Amino acid sequence: MKKNTFNMMLLAMAMGVVSCSDDADSTVERLSVAAFYPTIVMDGTEVSITGTGLSDVTTVEFPGGQVAKSVQVINDSRIIAVAPTGVDAEAGTLTVSTGTEQAQSRQTIRKAQPALRYFNPAESVKTYDDLQIEGNDLMLVKQVNIGMGDEAITINAIDFKRKSNDNITITLPGETPIGNEQPISAVFDNGELMVLGNMDIERGAQGGHWEDQEIDIYNDGDVVMKGDWSSYFMIDKSVLADAQVGNVIRVYIKDKTSDDNWVILSDGNWSELAAQRASDEDMAAGYKDFTLDENMLAAMQSTGLLIRGINFTAVKVVLVVSVWVPNTAGPVETVLNDTETDMGGWSAAIIIGKEAFENAKTGNIIRVYIKNQVEGWQQGSFKNGSDWGGLTDELGVIGLSTQDFEIGYYEMTIDDVTLPLLQDNGLIISGCNYTAVKVVLIQ
């Protein structure tokens, strides 16, 4: 009898344990916080919270006992809470409440304390070069401003070369204002402005090469230079206003009638500046060149230029200048979509028509810029535009890593298999637990 009583007690205890376990599981299923992003906030930062039972949440409490300014219910598994002022700088948990139930996060969150540590390079940088901004809590920076007044430029976060919590790297565009002590500031997602400091900015050379460029200064028809020195034509000084020492006056010539032929440059007062015989090589090339020195340039810009000579025909006269031509052979990004899309849990997609890939080639890259890494499985996908299946098995579901979010994108390379699919059917970008910022084709 005692043995049976003891066995019944064990059974009751076991049932009690099972019952407690079931209650706990149902509580977790009813209201829980799985993850949130971002984990640092400023006044007004939107925090995306995922979990279960969230459609009934009315308040979200941040570290320091501060309650969210507002709570937007997206669905039962996701809400967006707007961070209040006064969030504690010491990391703590989030608490969500329905009024009757509460759930606490495992992650911690804190108030951002952004600060600049240093620039790299430290004091001066050239356009087209990289500037690294090293600091603390920079993840919420949405743009960097350089310069002041009408010449100031803005570089948006989407164009940052790199963005992490302690580093922002930007490439200074050609239109960056030049000069000493150019002010640099950062603007955060909530609109707050932080002055970072000043930097000397110099004009840099984008990859390229020097090319000779011809500027017509006389092209009003052929002039036959007779053998009696009676022929000439005049070029007004205004045409030469922008000429510089080292530029070249090139007289195009043809039809030599004697070896005794001369091309002569004079100023507007008929004072000779330069005289050269046109050789057989000059006639074959079709022109005669004169390089401007200081005296020639000053006389021409003061009185004009007179072209005369004998025994040839002058076709036209040009000013030859050297100009820097940027290289264009590097990769070119074409934006296919620039609407931010919260992928949720495979609940959204970006659809790109086949016409976007009409000129695409194998070796081109499709890059999806991303942000808002939500805890859990982050996955991207490149799908066939006709049947929503993966372009290939490997591209149907792509696991996204922390490193992908640090560099800010994931991508695919177009090959012989995927190119015809893209050109026939277009492309669908989807996935879960991330936000797609824009999609580009890199050629």
Side-chain angles (χ1 to χ4, degrees), residues 46 70-75 78-82:
E46 291 187 350
S70 64
V71 178
Q72 178 187 3
V73 174
I74 305 301
N75 51 45
R78 183 166 175 259
I79 59 175
I80 296 175
V82 178

Side-chain angles (χ1 to χ4, degrees), residues 105-345:
S105 67
R106 291 170 295 174
Q107 281 177 285
T108 59
I109 193 169
R110 63 177 174 81
K111 179 182 178 180
Q113 301 181 77
L116 173 74
R117 288 186 287 138
Y118 58 87
F119 290 127
N120 182 25
E123 298 178 354
S124 66
V125 65
K126 294 181 179 180
T127 55
Y128 305 111
D129 286 350
D130 287 349
L131 173 64
Q132 295 182 7
I133 302 169
E134 299 284 346
N136 301 316
D137 290 352
L138 302 179
M139 187 60 73
L140 300 178
V141 173
K142 71 174 182 179
Q143 65 188 44
V144 171
N145 297 330
I146 304 176
M148 65 182 78
D150 294 338
E151 294 184 351
I153 66 164
T154 294
I155 302 173
N156 294 315
I158 190 63
D159 297 314
F160 293 170
K161 192 170 184 177
R162 180 189 173 201
K163 180 181 177 183
S164 67
N165 204 40
D166 57 8
N167 175 282
I168 292 173
T169 301
I170 57 178
T171 301
L172 298 192
E175 63 271 21
T176 304
I178 305 302
N180 295 335
E181 298 292 312
Q182 293 290 343
I184 301 177
S185 59
V187 180
F188 293 84
D189 286 340
N190 67 349
E192 289 187 27
L193 177 73
M194 183 172 77
V195 176
L196 298 175
N198 297 315
M199 176 70 65
D200 294 346
I201 300 177
E202 304 172 8
R203 181 71 64 198
Q206 186 179 16
H209 57 279
W210 290 99
E211 284 187 3
D212 286 342
Q213 183 181 83
E214 294 188 354
I215 302 170
D216 284 350
I217 57 177
Y218 173 85
N219 196 9
D220 290 335
D222 293 356
V223 177
V224 178
M225 298 295 179
K226 301 174 183 178
D228 60 1
W229 297 94
S230 62
S231 303
Y232 67 93
F233 57 91
M234 191 75 179
I235 298 172
D236 190 78
K237 65 180 182 181
S238 62
V239 180
L240 299 163
D242 296 326
Q244 298 178 8
V245 172
N247 291 168
V248 171
I249 298 292
R250 176 170 292 169
V251 183
Y252 278 88
I253 56 179
K254 66 177 183 179
D255 299 342
K256 181 178 70 168
T257 58
S258 170
D259 287 336
D260 186 26
N261 57 83
W262 290 84
V263 183
I264 298 176
L265 305 188
S266 301
D267 66 16
N269 296 325
W270 288 79
S271 296
E272 186 175 295
L273 300 174
Q276 295 185 32
R277 193 187 300 271
S279 66
D280 290 340
E281 289 77 12
D282 295 330
M283 297 306 300
Y287 58 81
K288 189 67 183 178
D289 282 349
F290 300 84
T291 301
L292 296 179
D293 60 26
E294 293 181 359
N295 294 329
M296 293 170 64
L297 181 62
M300 292 177 186
Q301 291 181 329
S302 176
T303 63
L305 172 63
L306 188 146
I307 307 292
R308 60 193 182 97
I310 55 172
N311 299 323
F312 70 95
T313 297
V315 179
K316 68 175 181 177
V317 183
V318 301
L319 180 70
V320 182
V321 300
S322 291
V323 294
W324 181 260
V325 179
N327 288 337
T328 58
V332 176
E333 287 192 4
T334 301
V335 177
L336 305 181
N337 181 282
D338 60 359
T339 300
E340 285 197 11
T341 304
D342 182 354
M343 292 301 176

Side-chain angles (χ1 to χ4, degrees), residues 95-109:
T95 301
V96 298
S97 174
T98 64
T100 58
E101 293 181 274
Q102 287 187 343
Q104 204 169 57
S105 67
R106 291 170 295 174
Q107 281 177 285
T108 59
I109 193 169

